[in-house]
């Protein structure tokens, strides 16, 4: 039986709709408009596309959108000065520094210069520590989107065996922490895990975030398992290119109970969760109840 397709594009639209509703209530009931500032350094074409898309969606849900575009040659001190100004701007509740940064900039220092309360990417070391110890934090957008889709599909995740393939600070590690928080039994695997196929075959939930095109074949997947494919890889087929995930979709969908496609799966959820995090940050800054269904 073919797997159920988890439509991330459609689910992201429902998340943005919820965000818009919360934004409207914040404006009407409290006179507060959530504000998101995005900082782009340089002229990287992919980053420019992402920033435009984020700005467009931010405005569509009724939030304040601010973009700061700096030259690739910007001095680190000047960038840190801008971040400090945004940290102290009461109309800005979320700050996102678009990565990657030019080589002459210290990415770790820049990320950790953002106020943890406004760190809607969830990359600040304070938020990483809070998440790792089960405390309230800002959660990285992609893992949060994966968790939302899993909760929507399964309801209660208690006791499920989950394998996260990939150990990055951006996806793999925070994904594992979120699944632990929902009482899953979690294994973090990676390309050097011994007998990786058998490890994956034991999982009720597989989150693939290793960054290798179609690395996970269908025969690694347990019958009926849920597969969340975070990978976005561009491969060449003849003279054309194609986007594929870290999972071989065709073979995996024959064994999985549910699976996310690439494209149209996890990707759209990332920006939706960025908007959700901004609303959450706004509510926390103003001592208001956090938006239901939009946080971990």
């Amino acid at each position: 039986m073919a797997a159920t397709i988890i439509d991330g594009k459609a689910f992201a639209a429902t998340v943005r709709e919820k965000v818009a509703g919360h934004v409207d209530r914040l404006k009407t009931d409290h006179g507060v408009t959530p504000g998101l500032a995005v900082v782009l350094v340089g002229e990287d074409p992919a980053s420019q596309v992402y920033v435009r898309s984020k700005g467009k969606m931010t405005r569509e849900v009724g939030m304040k959108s601010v973009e700061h575009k700096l030259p690739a040659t910007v001095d680190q001190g000047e960038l840190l000065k801008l971040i400090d100004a945004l940290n102290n701007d009461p109309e800005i509740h979320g700050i996102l520094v678009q990565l990657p940064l030019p080589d002459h900039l210290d990415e770790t220092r820049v990320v950790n210069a953002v106020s943890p309360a406004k760190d809607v990417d969830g990359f600040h070391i304070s938020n990483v520590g809070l998440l790792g110890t089960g405390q309230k934090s800002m959660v990285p957008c992609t893992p949060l989107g994966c968790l939302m889709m899993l909760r929507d599909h399964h309801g209660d995740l208690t006791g499920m065996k989950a394998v996260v393939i990939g150990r990055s600070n951006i996806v793999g590690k925070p994904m594992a922490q979120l699944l632990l928080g929902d009482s899953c039994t979690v294994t973090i695997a990676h390309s050097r895990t011994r007998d990786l196929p058998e490890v994956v075959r034991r999982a009720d939930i597989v989150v693939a975030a290793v960054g290798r095109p179609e690395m996970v074949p269908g025969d690694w997947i347990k019958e009926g398992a849920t597969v969340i494919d975070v990978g976005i890889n561009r491969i060449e087929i003849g003279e054309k290119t194609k986007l594929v995930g870290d999972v071989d979709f065709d073979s995996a969908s024959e064994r999985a109970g549910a699976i996310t496609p690439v494209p149209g799966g996890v990707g759209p959820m990332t920006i939706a969760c960025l908007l959700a995090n901004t609303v959450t940050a706004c509510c926390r800054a103003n001592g208001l109840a956090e938006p239901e269904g939009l946080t971990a």
Side-chain angles (χ1 to χ4, degrees), residues 62-73:
M63 294 197 294
K64 177 179 179 179
S65 175
V66 177
E67 296 177 11
H68 292 273
K69 297 181 180 180
L70 304 176
T73 55

Side-chain angles (χ1 to χ4, degrees), residues 60-82:
E60 284 177 351
V61 298
M63 294 197 294
K64 177 179 179 179
S65 175
V66 177
E67 296 177 11
H68 292 273
K69 297 181 180 180
L70 304 176
T73 55
V74 68
D75 176 79
Q76 179 151 306
E78 186 177 344
L79 176 56
L80 293 176
K81 186 177 179 181
L82 170 61

Side-chain angles (χ1 to χ4, degrees), residues 1-292:
M1 182 180 294
T4 298
I5 304 301
I6 299 176
D7 188 340
K9 186 175 181 180
F11 191 65
T14 67
V15 172
R16 292 196 303 273
E17 186 177 344
K18 289 180 182 178
V19 168
H22 284 293
V23 170
D24 185 60
R25 284 188 288 275
L26 284 168
K27 289 179 176 179
T28 302
D29 298 345
H30 304 285
V32 177
T33 300
L36 173 64
V38 178
V39 179
L40 174 63
V41 181
E43 304 291 334
D44 179 73
S47 292
Q48 288 181 323
V49 170
Y50 292 146
V51 168
R52 281 197 299 270
S53 180
K54 289 167 183 173
K56 179 175 180 287
M57 292 188 183
T58 301
R59 291 186 291 272
E60 284 177 351
V61 298
M63 294 197 294
K64 177 179 179 179
S65 175
V66 177
E67 296 177 11
H68 292 273
K69 297 181 180 180
L70 304 176
T73 55
V74 68
D75 176 79
Q76 179 151 306
E78 186 177 344
L79 176 56
L80 293 176
K81 186 177 179 181
L82 170 61
I83 292 172
D84 185 58
L86 294 171
N87 284 339
N88 290 289
D89 186 340
E91 294 188 358
I92 297 299
H93 305 95
I95 302 170
L96 181 149
V97 179
Q98 184 66 47
L99 303 178
L101 293 172
D103 290 342
H104 71 282
L105 298 173
D106 184 339
E107 194 168 284
T108 299
R109 186 177 175 191
V110 169
V111 166
N112 287 316
V114 176
S115 166
K118 297 188 178 187
D119 170 37
V120 286
D121 257 339
F123 294 165
H124 192 287
I125 189 63
S126 294
N127 283 318
V128 172
L130 290 168
L131 178 62
T133 53
Q135 300 180 68
K136 184 183 294 185
S137 68
M138 297 305 301
V139 178
C141 302
T142 298
L144 178 58
C146 295
L147 182 69
M148 285 183 179
M149 289 191 289
L150 286 167
R151 286 174 173 173
D152 181 71
H153 182 72
H154 285 288
D156 187 7
L157 304 182
T158 299
M160 298 184 75
K161 295 178 181 177
V163 168
V164 179
I165 310 173
R167 49 183 168 175
S168 73
N169 293 328
I170 295 173
V171 180
K173 291 175 184 175
M175 187 76 250
Q177 295 292 347
L178 290 174
L179 289 167
L180 281 171
D182 269 31
S183 298
C184 291
T185 299
V186 183
T187 299
I188 300 180
H190 44 81
S191 59
R192 297 186 181 182
T193 296
R194 292 182 181 177
D195 204 2
L196 180 58
E198 277 306 310
V199 171
V200 176
R201 286 188 190 109
R202 294 195 292 268
D204 304 308
I205 296 170
V206 177
V207 181
V210 73
R212 296 189 180 185
E214 300 179 325
M215 173 183 161
V216 180
D219 64 4
W220 289 16
I221 304 300
K222 175 183 176 181
E223 288 280 355
T226 300
V227 178
I228 305 293
D229 192 348
V230 181
I232 302 178
N233 309 285
R234 193 174 296 275
I235 63 172
E236 294 184 2
I237 302 178
E239 297 181 356
K240 298 182 178 180
T241 61
K242 178 183 179 183
L243 282 179
V244 299
D246 292 348
V247 177
D248 179 14
F249 180 84
D250 290 341
S251 61
S253 60
E254 293 178 2
R255 293 177 60 85
I259 189 169
T260 58
V262 177
V266 174
M269 286 296 296
T270 299
I271 294 182
C273 288
L274 172 67
L275 303 177
N277 276 351
T278 304
V279 172
T280 298
C282 178
C283 290
R284 291 177 181 174
N286 288 278
L288 302 172
E290 294 183 14
E292 188 175 345

